[in-house]
Amino acid sequence: MGDTLVPLIFMSDRTHFSNFAGDKKEWPVYMTIGNLSSKIRQTPSTHNVVMVAFVPIPIKKHNIPPKRLDEQR
């Protein structure tokens, strides 16, 4: 029996959600198969990219009132 190697490509890009909910930002992580031709992989209508995770960017802790800082902890 032969073996098959399928390369996976992971991509990420920072996304800004809303100014109304505390200026939240996240990094979505997308995955695609590496052995597809680049023409097919880059065509949006072929749906070759799948979102696999959201990586949150934590809020910086300077200039935050002590009560709010306790709530975050």
Side-chain angles (χ1 to χ4, degrees):
M1 295 180 92
D3 294 333
T4 303
L5 178 67
V6 178
L8 299 176
I9 298 173
F10 290 90
M11 302 164 278
S12 183
D13 187 17
R14 184 175 66 180
T15 301
H16 177 79
F17 280 113
S18 173
N19 286 333
F20 301 111
D23 198 27
K24 298 186 179 180
K25 297 177 184 174
E26 292 189 358
W27 288 81
V29 179
Y30 301 99
M31 180 185 72
T32 186
I33 298 174
N35 60 355
L36 297 172
S37 72
S38 63
K39 183 178 180 183
I40 292 173
R41 188 171 47 242
Q42 294 172 0
T43 305
S45 63
T46 57
H47 304 290
N48 293 313
V49 178
V50 177
M51 186 176 60
V52 293
F54 268 126
V55 179
I57 300 172
I59 299 171
K60 294 181 182 180
K61 295 183 179 179
H62 60 77
N63 297 332
I64 297 177
K67 182 179 178 184
R68 176 81 172 139
L69 190 57
D70 289 338
E71 290 174 2
Q72 288 182 1
R73 290 183 189 150

